[in-house]
Amino acid sequence: MVNTIEIDLGALRHNFQQVRRFIKPTTKIMAIVKSDAYGHGMIHVSKELSKLGVDFLGVGDVREGLVLRKAKISTPIVVLLGISEEECSTVIQNNLIPAVYRLDIAHRLSQEALKKGRIQKIHLKIDTGMGRLGIPAHEVTSFLSKIRSLKSLEVEALFSHLACAHESDEEYTRFQLERFKKAIVEAKKMGFSLLYNHIANSAAIIDYKEAHFDLVRPGIMLYGSYPSSQFKEKVSLKPVMTFKSKIIQIKRLPPNSGISYGRTYITPGEALIATIPVGYDNGYMKSLSNKGEVLIGGRRAKIVGVVCMNLLMAEVTNIPNVQVNDEVVLLGSQMKDVITAEEIAERAGTISYEIYCALGNRNQRIYKEEP
Ligand SMILES: Cc1ncc(COP(=O)(O)O)c(C=O)c1O
């Protein structure tokens, strides 16, 4: 296997302990493991975090929840994107807790739970200003009054998501927090007990204590990246993912040789070019053409020419003793240097989250303990 994603479970454990540093001992943690744990592999990540006592796991959809249940993970699971009518029965049978933001789903779930003689837990998603998923803030009271009579449902939590907690402007986050608090007060007045209200992502865990409520929802910080660069001084995280390949061919080319499709790179002088079997099919973005760097022999090598579907080329003219089969690190550390997901994201014009999902979900993963 030439291309491998290495997942360092020791680093994951370290990052989980960092989350604990910011919260009260009584505050619960829901690890966000959706999108196959941001490309890190939701089964391994969830098992490791469950051993450490994580209180909830947050998955995207029912399919992801079932993957975890089949892997014998018994930690409470919240389905963050909600469910369809057809999934109500499966959710109840598999002990999943859906996000609910539609009345039709609330009714159907309640009917199914009643048939099975069960009380189904739900987390109500409120849109406090993200403009994405959830009951609009001004409709919360009327929604709550309509589901109050559904005795087979237990509203365990209200939850919401912050749009700007990773940015330096605090005003919008405070506005969303105020709306969220108002919804909680309203719901409690109506008799909902609400054990685990939650709104804090990684950025809010670090920067907004007042956003912690009863439970926090870390994602990116568990995987060792910062919500944005301003967080680097506030917490020390360890990247969990490394992406490695090997050189499969080296060639010495004369000056003026074109590299890859469209000849976007022309060798300025005689050059040593290494070919590496990684391309956009491996999640290594084409936007890194003539921009990205990789580590070979502890040195940086520039990607030259366009990134292809399964191959890319790096200039290794100044790397001593470079050979076929030498290790290439595209993400992670080699000797004294490191290429972070943030660095790649900046060069590719995206965010670390996308880098992790793209690489992690497209390559063979292996799991290791401490280095
Ligand atoms: C609903 C929800 N909660 C929590 C998170 C975790 O956010 P972060 O990875 O920034 O900590 C996400 C991530 O997208 C999310 O969609």
Side-chain angles (χ1 to χ4, degrees):
M1 209 182 345
V2 179
N3 299 327
T4 47
I5 290 283
E6 282 178 14
I7 302 295
D8 180 352
L9 294 173
L12 177 72
R13 289 195 290 272
H14 167 87
N15 299 333
F16 185 72
Q17 300 310 347
Q18 295 306 301
V19 174
R20 285 215 196 280
R21 273 190 44 216
F22 286 92
I23 60 175
K24 287 193 286 195
T26 49
T27 306
K28 308 278 183 213
I29 303 176
M30 180 191 302
I32 302 303
V33 297
K34 65 178 182 168
S35 298
D36 215 358
Y38 295 27
H40 292 70
M42 66 189 320
I43 294 180
H44 283 83
V45 166
S46 301
K47 281 191 173 165
E48 197 61 35
L49 294 178
S50 296
K51 272 194 249 162
L52 296 180
V54 75
D55 303 284
F56 289 85
L57 298 164
V59 299
D61 52 25
V62 170
R63 184 192 51 83
E64 287 190 329
L66 295 180
V67 167
L68 295 185
R69 288 289 181 248
K70 280 206 185 92
K72 306 257 179 298
I73 293 167
S74 57
T75 308
I77 295 173
V78 174
V79 182
L80 293 165
L81 300 178
I83 58 169
S84 66
E85 289 202 33
E86 299 74 47
E87 289 169 331
C88 288
S89 175
T90 310
V91 160
I92 298 166
Q93 270 159 15
N94 289 277
N95 218 2
L96 303 175
I97 305 170
V100 171
Y101 44 87
R102 272 171 44 188
L103 271 178
D104 57 337
I105 300 290
H107 280 284
R108 177 69 182 270
L109 198 56
S110 171
Q111 279 166 10
E112 291 290 333
L114 193 63
K115 267 197 243 160
K116 292 181 167 53
R118 298 269 292 271
I119 302 292
Q120 174 63 41
K121 291 175 179 168
I122 59 171
H123 287 201
L124 277 193
K125 176 98 194 242
I126 316 289
D127 181 4
T128 54
M130 176 81 176
R132 193 170 71 170
L133 204 58
I135 307 156
H138 62 276
E139 290 175 18
V140 172
T141 314
S142 103
F143 193 101
L144 288 169
S145 64
K146 286 180 188 132
I147 62 161
R148 198 158 36 165
S149 57
L150 304 177
K151 299 295 177 216
S152 299
L153 297 186
E154 179 192 340
V155 182
E156 199 180 47
L158 297 192
F159 81 107
S160 191
H161 197 49
L162 295 168
C164 301
H166 61 293
E167 292 172 359
S168 41
D169 182 7
E170 295 177 14
E171 202 182 318
Y172 197 72
T173 301
R174 305 229 176 267
F175 165 75
Q176 283 195 267
L177 290 177
E178 278 316 305
R179 274 183 155 178
F180 190 53
K181 275 188 222 157
K182 220 173 125 200
I184 294 169
V185 169
E186 206 58 49
K188 287 197 169 160
K189 257 198 250 158
M190 292 170 85
F192 291 94
S193 44
L194 307 180
L195 294 173
Y196 305 120
N197 300 311
H198 48 100
I199 192 168
N201 56 3
S202 297
I205 290 169
I206 299 166
D207 259 2
Y208 295 89
K209 270 214 165 1
E210 66 275 37
H212 292 183
F213 293 90
D214 311 297
L215 181 156
V216 294
R217 298 196 310 266
I220 198 71
M221 70 183 291
L222 290 176
Y223 307 111
S225 273
Y226 301 88
S228 60
S229 58
Q230 75 201 48
F231 290 85
K232 275 190 195 146
E233 296 90 53
K234 297 179 181 173
V235 57
S236 170
L237 302 170
K238 293 187 181 170
V240 176
M241 184 186 289
T242 297
F243 182 37
K244 289 181 181 170
S245 184
K246 284 187 176 159
I247 297 175
I248 57 168
Q249 192 183 7
I250 297 180
K251 61 187 72 160
R252 190 170 292 280
L253 293 177
N256 281 322
S257 302
I259 307 289
S260 194
Y261 292 116
R263 305 179 77 242
T264 59
Y265 184 82
I266 305 287
T267 53
E270 191 182 80
L272 209 55
I273 302 292
T275 302
I276 298 151
V278 169
Y280 54 80
D281 185 40
N282 304 92
Y284 199 84
M285 288 149 190
K286 190 163 176 280
S287 53
L288 292 161
S289 303
N290 291 309
K291 278 194 191 153
E293 292 184 352
V294 297
L295 299 174
I296 298 171
R299 306 248 191 138
R300 285 192 173 237
K302 284 195 187 315
I303 290 172
V304 286
V306 164
V307 173
C308 307
M309 191 180 289
N310 319 102
L311 294 165
L312 59 81
M313 276 59 75
E315 223 231 275
V316 292
T317 315
N318 297 322
I319 300 182
N321 304 321
V322 64
Q323 285 176 17
V324 164
N325 277 331
D326 276 1
E327 178 189 85
V328 179
V329 170
L330 298 104
L331 166 69
S333 57
Q334 190 188 56
M335 297 186 208
K336 290 196 176 120
D337 206 350
V338 59
I339 294 179
T340 61
E342 284 91 334
E343 178 188 330
I344 302 175
E346 176 136 8
R347 290 183 196 275
T350 180
I351 50 174
S352 59
Y353 300 64
E354 190 179 356
I355 301 297
Y356 289 133
C357 291
L359 297 178
N361 286 328
R362 298 303 290 268
N363 298 287
Q364 183 75 34
R365 285 186 293 247
I366 55 168
Y367 291 83
K368 44 174 226 156
E369 290 293 326
E370 241 70 47

